[in-house]
Amino acid sequence: MTFINYASREINCKIVYYGPGLGGKTTNLNYIYQKIHPANKGRMVSLATDTERTLFFDFLPLELGLINGFKIRFHLYTVPGQIFYDASRKLILKGVDGVVFVADSQAERFDANIESLSNLHEHLHEHGYDFATIPYVLQFNKRDLPNISPFEDLKKELWKKNEPIFEAIASRGVGVFDSLKDVTRQMLNGLRKR
Amino acid sequence: METGDLVIYPGEFAEIRVILAQLATEARAKLVFLVDRNGQPIASHGDNGSVDTTSLSSLAAGNVAATEGLAKLLGEREFSVLFHEGERDNIHFSIVAHRAILVVIFDHSTPVGLVRLRVRKASVQFEDVFQRIAARFQKELQPTGVISDYPFPEITDDDIDRLFSE
């Protein structure tokens, strides 16, 4: 749900990073937080457990600049990836404008990716979204690890609607901004067409 | 744009700010603000110098959403009011017009009963404003579901690159 304020000339969008537990959603946000100029970002809020697993969400507000005289503000959220936090995951998707699905490329997480993607479909549907039209990118993370599934195998199972795929190493920032930029482009263009 | 989107024009924004200012005075609050249910701050009034209202908005929405989840598990439609008491300050959340959260921060010199009373009055006023916003939004939607004066007629890749290069 986008919020356009003509009084303060602002447009506010919500982007959610979704995916299986320990796949690198929070790492994506951490990298963005480190790289964005301090003037353009707010405080990053992490509601995490003692062992730094996301409990409810991570939240990063960004104020990027102007397009056509409107200030563009993004709220980036991650969901908790662990299976038993399903109710929290669903809450965070409410009002979403764009989704980045962060898949874990490691072979042993192959099924966890499929399960998480099906969970995303289910929750979007419950919130009344059509997966076919929502701004969406697919990120294959951890491409630097030795035990990863081949690109084509991941694509075969996870690529659903001709969405762009980005190979990423989120800990080093590879693919992080490419994913964010693409979902932003889809979101701002898509708003008009919806 | 979806009909669930929120578009506010200057006149409506001014009305919201007037209601917030009146509430802040009447409830003797330090800070009052209105947040969209998804965590986007809409407007605020009061001393927010030391408060990060963006983070507060996101957490308020998360808090209300989690409480709503609890309500559903218990078979309630919603718990429309939330109140947290601190050593110095208190915080009062209420849902207004089904789509926004009204947050009031006040200290112990103000009784919570007064805040509740004034919040009820402000909620009725907000209800009226949001009903008009929704009605206007419906009217502006063209038959194709597209808003005619959407501020971004065409976004290029250069626009996006510029956004991230600043």
Side-chain angles (χ1 to χ4, degrees), chain A residues 141-156:
Chain A
N141 193 24
K142 307 192 186 184
R143 297 310 288 170
D144 57 331
L145 296 185
N147 56 332
I148 54 171
S149 302
F151 179 92
E152 286 305 325
D153 289 3
L154 286 166
K155 184 177 171 185
K156 191 170 165 231

Side-chain angles (χ1 to χ4, degrees), chain A residues 1 4 6 68 185 192 194, chain B residues 1-2 4 6 8 151 153 157:
Chain A
M1 196 220 72
I4 301 179
Y6 280 84
N68 285 5
R185 184 183 50 75
R192 189 169 48 97
R194 267 197 256 154
Chain B
M1 307 193 72
E2 288 186 345
L6 179 62
I8 293 182
D157 286 348

Side-chain angles (χ1 to χ4, degrees), chain B residues 42-137:
Chain B
I42 298 174
S44 67
H45 183 89
D47 174 23
N48 63 359
S50 59
V51 181
D52 176 356
T53 48
T54 308
S55 297
L56 205 59
S57 298
S58 159
L59 291 171
N63 197 1
V64 167
T67 308
E68 199 176 69
L70 289 173
K72 284 200 178 119
L73 286 177
L74 294 173
E76 289 286 335
R77 196 168 67 88
E78 65 183 17
F79 292 127
S80 57
V81 169
L82 268 172
F83 173 59
H84 299 308
E85 191 171 357
E87 276 185 13
R88 198 186 64 236
D89 290 331
N90 307 316
I91 186 162
H92 184 280
F93 304 92
S94 56
I95 296 166
V96 296
H98 301 290
R99 70 168 311 156
I101 302 163
L102 178 59
V103 183
V104 182
I105 298 172
F106 58 103
D107 63 22
H108 288 282
S109 65
T110 306
V112 66
L114 176 69
V115 172
R116 287 214 170 110
L117 187 71
R118 301 305 187 200
V119 160
R120 268 204 292 274
K121 181 185 160 197
S123 298
V124 174
Q125 295 171 302
F126 281 128
E127 184 93 36
D128 176 51
V129 176
F130 278 100
Q131 267 178 11
R132 278 185 280 123
I133 289 174
R136 189 253 309 140
F137 188 75

Side-chain angles (χ1 to χ4, degrees), chain A residues 104-113 145 147-149:
Chain A
D104 189 333
S105 295
Q106 295 180 94
E108 65 267 29
R109 300 297 284 161
F110 196 78
D111 290 347
N113 291 323
L145 296 185
N147 56 332
I148 54 171
S149 302

Side-chain angles (χ1 to χ4, degrees), chain A residues 1-14 36-37 40 42-45 47 56-57 59 61-62 64-70 72-75 77 91 94-97 128-129 177 180-182 184-185 187-194, chain B residues 1-2 4-11 13-14 36-43 50-52 54-59 61-63 65-69 72 99 144-147 149-157 159-166:
Chain A
M1 196 220 72
T2 313
F3 167 35
I4 301 179
N5 188 335
Y6 280 84
S8 50
R9 297 188 74 76
E10 283 175 3
I11 179 159
N12 296 262
C13 301
K14 176 174 180 177
I36 291 277
H37 190 278
N40 297 344
R43 185 183 304 170
M44 181 160 162
V45 175
L47 303 182
F56 194 2
F57 57 77
F59 166 68
L62 301 178
L64 289 179
L66 300 173
I67 290 186
N68 285 5
F70 272 73
I72 310 293
R73 296 171 67 166
F74 291 130
H75 286 182
Y77 285 84
L91 290 179
K94 199 173 165 194
V96 68
D97 295 302
Y129 288 101
F177 275 98
L180 178 59
K181 277 184 188 181
D182 202 282
T184 300
R185 184 183 50 75
M187 229 163 40
L188 293 178
N189 278 327
L191 274 171
R192 189 169 48 97
K193 295 173 195 156
R194 267 197 256 154
Chain B
M1 307 193 72
E2 288 186 345
D5 292 336
L6 179 62
V7 178
I8 293 182
Y9 285 110
F13 191 59
D36 167 68
R37 280 185 86 140
N38 302 312
Q40 313 276 13
I42 298 174
S50 59
V51 181
D52 176 356
T54 308
S55 297
L56 205 59
S57 298
S58 159
L59 291 171
N63 197 1
T67 308
E68 199 176 69
K72 284 200 178 119
R99 70 168 311 156
T144 51
V146 174
I147 278 194
D149 64 345
Y150 177 65
F152 308 124
E154 192 70 46
I155 305 291
T156 64
D157 286 348
D159 287 330
I160 302 293
D161 281 337
R162 255 198 312 278
L163 210 53
F164 283 90
S165 67
E166 284 168 17

